[in-house]
Amino acid sequence: MNGLPALRVVPAGAGSGKTYTVQQTLGEWILAGKVSPERIVAVTYTEAAAAELRARISAELLENDRVEDALRLSQAYISTIHGFGLRILTEFAFSAGLSPRPRLLSEDEQNALIRQSLARTDSANAIVADLDAYGYHYDPVRKMKPEDLFRERCLKAVELWRTTGLRSQAEGEALTADAFRRLADHYGPTRDADPLRQKLRQRIADLLKRFPASIHRQFGTTRAAREDLIRDHRNLVTALSGPDLETNWKLWQALRAVRVSNQRTQLPDDYDRLAGKVRTAAEELRCHPGPLEDARKHLAALLTTGQHAIGSYQQAKAKAGLVDYTDMIATAEWLLRERPDILERLTEQVDCLVVDEFQDTNPLQFSLLWQLREAGIPTLVVGDLKQAIMGFQGADPRLFAALERNYDRQARPLEQNWRSQARLMDIVNAVGPVLFGDEYHPLEPQRRDSPCDPLELVTFEETSRSQTHKVRAGFVALRLKEHLAGRTRIVDRDTGLERSLRGSDIAVLCRTHSVLAACAKALMECGLRVNYQAEGWLSSRAVQIAWNALAYLANPADRHAALYLGVTELGTLSLEQGLRQLMDNGRVEDPLLRKLDTLSEGVADRTVYALVADTLAAVGLFDEVARWPDGDQARANLLRLLGEAGAFMDSNREALTLSGYHGTGIQTFLAWLSARAEENDEHPPARVIDEDAIVLTTWHSAKGLEWPVVAVCGLDQAIRVRLPDLGLSYESFDDLAAILNRVRIDYWPKYTAQEQNFEAEYLQERTSLVEYRRLLYVALSRARDKLILEWPEYVADRKPNRRTGEATPNVWSILSERCSVDKETSEFDVDGQRFPCTVIEGGLKLPDEFHAEEDARAPALVPIGRRAIARRSAPAKLTPDSVAPSMLEGALDSLPDSLVLRAERYGEGVDAHVGLSGKDLGTYLHQCFEILGARPELVAQLESLTGVEAPAGETERIAAAVAGFEAWLGNAFEVESVQREWPLLCIDPAGSVVSGTADLIVRTAKGAWVLDHKSDRVESAVEAFRGYQAQLEAYRNALVSEGETVLGVGINWIRRGEVTWSLSPGQDG
Amino acid sequence: MRRQVLHFLLVPDESAARRVRRAIAQSTGRSGILVGPWRELVRHAREAYFRPPVDDWNDSDFETALASDRNAFWSESFAVAPDETADAVKRALASLHSATDPYREPQLPGPERFPGWPRRIVADLLSLPASLGERLPGDLAVIRDLLSADPDSVSQPIRVVRVDGVPQTSRWQDALIDKLNREAGRDGVSHNGELEDTLESLLRAGPQANPESALGVLQAKLFETDKSTIRPDRSVQWVGVRDYQQEAEVAAGMVQTLIKEHPDLELKQIGLLVPEDFQYCVAVEDAFGLAGLALSGLPGERWRRDLGPEAVYHFLCCRQKPASRMALAVCLSSVLMPWSPEEGAVMAQAVMDGNYEPRFPSHASAGANAMLALIRQGDSQPATLARALREFAALLDGGEAFSAHQRRAGDASQRVLDRLEGAREIDWSDLRRAVKPQLIIGGEAPSYNIEGVTVWRELHEPWRTVRHLFVLGFSQGRYPRRMQSAPVFSETNIRAVREGCGIAIDSPSDAQRRARLLFRRQLRAVSDSATFLIPRRLEVGDSQSPSETLVFMQRLVEQSKQGLSLIAETDLSEDLNRIRHLALSTDRSPRPPRNYHCGDLHLKRNLLEINSDAEGKVRPESPTGLELPMVSPLAWLIRRLGAEPLLWSPESADPRVIGNLAHKVFEDLFPPGRELPEQNQVATRARDSLDGAIQQQAPFLRNPQWQFERHYIAEQVVRAAQTWRKVLEQLGAEILGTEQWLQGYWSGIGIHGKADLILGLEGNRLLIVDYKWTRSEGRRNQMELGFDSQASLYREMAETGGPKPPRPGRESSDEEAQLAKEITTAKGIGIVYFTMRDRTCLSDSTLPESPSIPGWFALDNDIAANALAIIRARLEELRQGVVRLNFKNDRTHIEKNAGIKAYAMDLSPLIDLFALPETDADFDPWGAIIQQDRSRGLE
Ligand code: SF4
């Protein structure tokens, strides 16, 4: 309709100008009038990327003076896929019968709800009772108990079902049955269980008959032998004396390896013989039907539990109007699929669809997006299969691969590289085929050469046991230090000019966080500044001080908090003094604590945010940390604390309740905070840019970024397989529109007998190996000028796995298969192509010059911000910008004491008994005088006008009083006109605007009178009058300054039925 | 009487009103003039025409109306999300009606001209007022009422003076303005357009800055199509800073510099434009306070917690059993409780420490007792809950200071009672929703003063002009504020309605356009310079993008040098000198942090005497307690002083909790003087006993959320019990005591503790058993290294003392007497750890019975020698008043040498903070002590 291609696929290698292409293409389409800016749908990987794309297109349009278009762009759907899904959900909420304002479920809440949903099904009980047997053990690294680990896997099953886009129970059953079938196929033939067990049992009995007691005392000559013999004996006794052999495959596995003589320890011959027989009998574990049956039960439990839990989870969410991230996609996908009317309405609003980073979509997301393209929306898809590294989040790059394959005619690959210097690009182009074979297409370098040599290798022929990462990182660090100290020059990205290298031009990329931490440590010890978010935020000094101050504020009886505060940075005590005070007085005394005591007023109902802010201010913590050597980090840490307080306040209460956090006070906040820090304890970045600091980041997070110099470390890492695993695959990719119908469930169990685990197949099929190749590509293609590679040659000497006889795959060997270093010629050989490179040989121990004298953390910039503020105290008194006369109190100094006051009664005064008191009563009486003064006939409507119900007769009494006053008014003055509720404005001598409303301005031929109604009950009208002088004067002045003659001012004391007035100076009655 | 006409100057908001009032007060006529936003105008009009307040419908009327139409476009959504739907429909109804002709019923064109979904929305909305008795939402109802008011009833005619488009008005509002002016017109105009001119010149002021300057260009051309490009000059700058707090601090410093550089400049001529975000207010107040710079117009709103409804909310959580301990603690420590906050804090902490049935620290009133009982009980029936809730509300007592909160608590409990009425069962989450605690906005009105720095707010008109402006928070989603899309009237639907039936509903993009114009008006009220501060990161450290308006500015103001960004970063040294007014610190030397290394403590007194009992007797130590001085004497001292951290945390199935449950099960299953349970009954009895223990000690585990844990624990406990029973059988043991208090002396101090189990074996041998909810590896390692003190100390108690005598006034039972006898006559006391997780017995004795017991492991060495040596030495030091501090690497050291995880060092962060510098990896601080102890033994 608008002359755009129905589908365009843009495979875009690293540095090929992907975002530029998208921006350019969209810009062109808008300029050519082919699409309207507000009718673009663009899906990016992050919110930041969306903001950037929007800004870039805007700039493009503005460049062409298309201001209107640029403004309209703000309504375009440029967001993450979740944002897009959510927009569909809300925009079509009414058509779809959904909540128009769904709330995003917090992670805590999601956990709690799923926990509850899981509790509603019993299908996991058999597994739960025996978690150890099913391979769930405490994970000390993640601090997770077996139950937690199992729950986590159930969650994975829940997620898995949801991404299948499944709608019916039957479909689910079919998928499950299919998974069972393939599980059995994989396992191979089995034999009868009973004979296998009886044979083993018999042989154990034989052994124990001959050796009834453990022989470790006599033959346990080495520690290992001793431990083995103890363990073996226990296993043998257990196997013989109980039913364990029927179900305990670990026991079988252990019996396969019952110790016999070896080079170092000699056991009795008889023992060897009998133990050998035990071993052969236990070998039959490999064709025992039991393990397969267990795997089946395990899978069944996961799948059924998952399926059941989804039901109640969805219900619970629906009831509370909640959505989670998967819903944003799943529900939107389902809406478009099941409701052609909605799809139609959506497509009517969209001119084109752009999807960036397409390789990172999962099947459900794909299915959502693909429906738009099937509905005829011109679609532009950009991605790079080689950079698909988000598999751990459920992304399935096979989709993009299929897209490239099925639509190769629509493909417009980008063939240039704008990032790396030509000499470096040549190397990347040579390595490409090593990683991807024929599928790699070289990119043509566009940048000219840099003064900097493109490749360096830091080689390690040997490794030592301890501190390996640190030593290797140390050699890299030394090399980087040389570059920074020397005259290494690079080309500036923005200016295109040569300049010398700075710390922030360098990135060290590691595969995992633990290696990263080791690298960071090495770099710092070597005197280099790093930009790295280390763990330890909560335990950092500044946060701890704040924490304890809050704890003290919450409970002044908290001795620990008091002690901590007294003996740390802000306190005045030594540890000894603090402890002595506790011993002597049972409490700690310190000026700091007194400052906090003054805050305790109002602790009860102040919000946590306010309390945190006030506490930090009261103890002056921001000021204190500003002067610390790492003050930037400390203030960033405190700010995160404030931010967390805000987040705590914003958290949904029900969500907190569900996860066991009750209350909104400090103690609950602190409890919540420590759990939060367990999730993420990283220090927030201390600054935005740190010119001197070397960036440390993982390969994953390096995606999309670039640096002049990049060092890739941690290549020695083994590629480990974590079984069991559950995942999705597809029967075929032929019909992309129906991809969700081709789904199937893969299950990779973990059998006790290792050789049955099919690890190699797993690695291939679950694409782990491929994914590592892609990760390597991402890491290697980040550099603009120079690439430094850690080259761990010693990995080649690693021993193969004892049982399987195969080497554990690792990252380095992916490269080393076809790449090598020639140290003689200083050349890097890639499949026969040779590239000159610098070779640095690393060793087992760091040279002495490694440890730097200087402190790497010393800030290089002049301090700004807080430290640059000159401390002053605030002015004592300020003049209000405006004043209301009624707020002015007391007599004015300038008024003569000897005021001529006149007073006259006009009636009894009213004391309205209408159930009001104080200010409310005053307002009511005022209203009555105002309304009835102007319109006596409105007495019947008085109740509805004032909204006050008066008992019988009361209204009439008030009306009479008003009438009395009005009559008096008519008599007292020769009234020409009366203005009621008349606004007055003027400026007082101090410059404040005086703005008020005079109740009555009575105009006579000679001039005006200003009168005000007052409902106070006063003893002496004269005294009371003085109290209102200032207000009356203000009114007088306002009129006078407008050129009016004011004869006098007065007050109607409603409750006395009396008017008091004074004459203006120079007037006489 | 001649009626005077009141002039009402209509302005967008209070800020504009403030500015206009001053201008009027300084010039033209000064009486009879009102200035205000729309809300004010309506109020005055109502008074002028003597119109009573209009009956607005309340939410439940509206919801009934929505529910009555089952085929409306909202029906399905209403069924799942009534509140959200009602809210959206209400707003849609208002915006649709505002766009129609107030004097005529809107007519829908035929479906052929106006088809589909948009038609359905409009039709359903238009028919809605009928089911509401022709009532309209809020403002519309008032306007309609006023439009029908009798022209003659007006007491004081109002003439509305306004500027087209500022503020934007709807058709209904226009109609009212027309009516007012028409009816005021009869009384003549008195101001001759002067007021119009004043208003026009203030609300639609043109650029104030020099048109040749960059600021002038921004003021004139921002968001305009025609452009003129200019290089950045001294009139504008964009500065990137880390976060909002730094913005405030940098701005304060810049203001100081400005003032210093221009002595004639007054503070009020400097402006801050501040986002509507209380964080900014806090930060600005703080930074400008430091600098002693007065502020004028900074919002002073403070949020407060809604203590009343909160108390009701948590009370409900307490009544839903099993209640979590934090709910109990929060309830107990509420200031509305009829006891003192101190008492509340003590009870709350007791609950947090695991006591689900806390008592009063001191004597309590009847009301307090009743309240405590209420909090502890639970409900399964609506009726009992309703009764409890009424009683609860009546017992609340926060004193004078919290009476408002108490009132809100009453209202909240009434809301819950309403829902409970006639309910058949309790829907807890629904009741909690009804309580609706929310933050209460309070605090003082901003101080507007003449002298201070002028503060403008993001969504408000400028209230006085300035020479220099600092724009804070120039980040994504601000300037202009991002608009939320409306669920009923999306842009597409609005367009369709406009085209289909000519009703021009105000759209989000209209609002966006107005927001942009507001921002430009703010800019235009500046004459000399503007600084845009761009926060690069959010509070928690995530990065954020600059305002979308930046590209529009970039278009007009272009950098000359290629690659140089418009934004100058405070983090870049080369940018620092191009930032104008930036305050730099003169003091560059950092202050070194406090040095904590202080060496061992010499407190010069017998520390063992701290916290003696009433008679001055030194408190006995327990075997577990004595591990503390071994690992960390400072930890021991902190605990002795009652100075452990008081932390709150939600319940978790941690090993301590589960260990206690398992202990209880074993105690029940294997009581003294009885036969062992039948093997086939062990499982059932263990499960029953576990249920009871959970009920008492860890009720939270009964919550469905903990189902996995419960199953898993039960299974583990059953297996352990089954194994243990077999062990007892094979040993042929007689159970002499369970959970038996023993006491004795060791190394000059009293020791006491509860032995889990005491067994008598054939031939007068005794076995003291300790159950551990762990696996055996760690414990075995510790024993092999000679670092296991616990069981040995029990043996020590048996040997030097015996069963603890009953409390005065109670006779010892036969069993106790028997046990005491057995202990004194015993021919050897062995000790056993039973590690429940892997069902292993670790013993210091090889018994004739043990080889046939799977998992019986006997150690040959002295399992306690090293531990006892160290504890002895440490106790001696404590007697002397010496507290040895830990070394930084003690954790690894202790684990390696003693097989002990040094959890004691986690008792307080102070222990690590004051730890001595790392020692050499090979240095063994304990070596000498052990050596010495050994040689002493040899003497
Ligand atoms: S740059 Fe700033 S300090 Fe200098 S003249 Fe202009 S406004 Fe004043």
Side-chain angles (χ1 to χ4, degrees), chain A residues 98 151 234 541 559-560 568-569 573 605 627 654 657 664 685 688 866-867 870 879 935 979 983, chain B residues 4 30 32 77 153 242 249 256 305 310 313 432 450-451 571 587 591 594 596 641 709 840 908:
Chain A
L98 304 169
R151 189 176 286 118
R234 179 177 178 174
R541 185 77 49 82
R559 296 173 172 196
H560 182 266
T568 48
E569 242 74 19
L573 305 174
D605 67 348
R627 308 191 39 199
E654 188 69 12
T657 301
T664 50
V688 183
R866 197 171 196 90
R867 278 178 73 186
T879 320
R935 294 282 169 89
Q979 282 159 327
Chain B
Q4 295 254 353
R30 294 165 180 118
S77 293
S153 69
R242 184 183 179 280
E249 290 164 354
Q256 286 187 327
R305 289 162 57 199
E310 268 182 31
Y313 186 96
R432 287 198 297 265
I450 292 185
E451 298 87 350
D571 270 354
D587 158 33
R591 182 154 68 194
R594 185 164 168 178
Y596 287 114
L641 289 169
E709 281 76 5
T840 299
S908 155

Side-chain angles (χ1 to χ4, degrees), chain B residues 323-532:
Chain B
S324 93
R325 67 177 176 202
M326 207 182 285
L328 289 169
V330 165
C331 232
L332 291 169
S333 53
S334 163
V335 289
L336 298 181
M337 288 296 142
W339 48 72
S340 75
E342 292 76 25
E343 286 171 314
V346 171
M347 285 194 283
Q349 193 61 45
V351 172
M352 273 299 151
D353 294 341
N355 176 5
Y356 283 83
E357 304 199 329
R359 301 233 175 82
F360 277 102
S362 54
H363 153 87
S365 68
N369 277 318
M371 178 62 101
L372 196 57
L374 278 180
I375 290 176
R376 283 201 205 141
Q377 293 152 1
D379 299 285
S380 50
Q381 293 304 318
T384 63
L385 178 59
R387 210 176 310 127
L389 202 57
R390 276 192 205 98
E391 213 180 316
F392 169 80
L395 283 171
L396 286 177
D397 178 11
E400 191 63 20
F402 295 101
S403 54
H405 288 294
Q406 198 169 320
R407 225 170 306 127
R408 290 180 58 82
D411 298 344
S413 47
Q414 193 53 50
R415 286 196 292 276
V416 177
L417 288 170
D418 290 347
R419 296 227 183 170
L420 276 175
E421 191 137 315
R424 269 207 236 112
E425 51 184 38
I426 307 180
D427 180 345
W428 292 101
S429 62
D430 185 54
L431 293 184
R432 287 198 297 265
R433 258 200 294 279
V435 179
K436 276 196 206 136
Q438 45 203 201
L439 293 175
I440 310 174
I441 309 172
E444 303 124 38
S447 149
Y448 287 95
N449 55 64
I450 292 185
E451 298 87 350
V453 172
T454 304
V455 180
W456 299 343
R457 297 161 65 174
E458 181 188 2
L459 301 182
H460 295 238
E461 300 286 327
W463 62 273
R464 68 184 175 203
T465 56
V466 295
R467 287 178 57 191
H468 303 276
L469 179 70
F470 295 91
V471 180
L472 270 54
F474 197 61
S475 56
Q476 203 187 2
R478 297 201 180 108
Y479 308 113
R481 176 65 65 108
R482 178 168 314 137
M483 298 294 154
Q484 293 296 326
S485 64
V488 179
F489 286 121
S490 64
E491 289 288 337
T492 328
N493 290 340
I494 289 174
R495 212 172 308 128
V497 173
R498 194 173 300 168
E499 282 157 17
C501 59
I503 302 178
I505 298 167
D506 195 45
S507 73
S509 55
D510 294 334
Q512 183 95 27
R513 187 177 42 81
R514 289 196 296 273
R516 268 186 224 118
L517 293 180
L518 167 62
F519 179 54
R520 201 169 63 186
R521 280 200 295 282
Q522 291 166 332
L523 277 191
R524 284 184 175 180
V526 185
S527 59
D528 292 19
S529 85
T531 297
F532 301 89

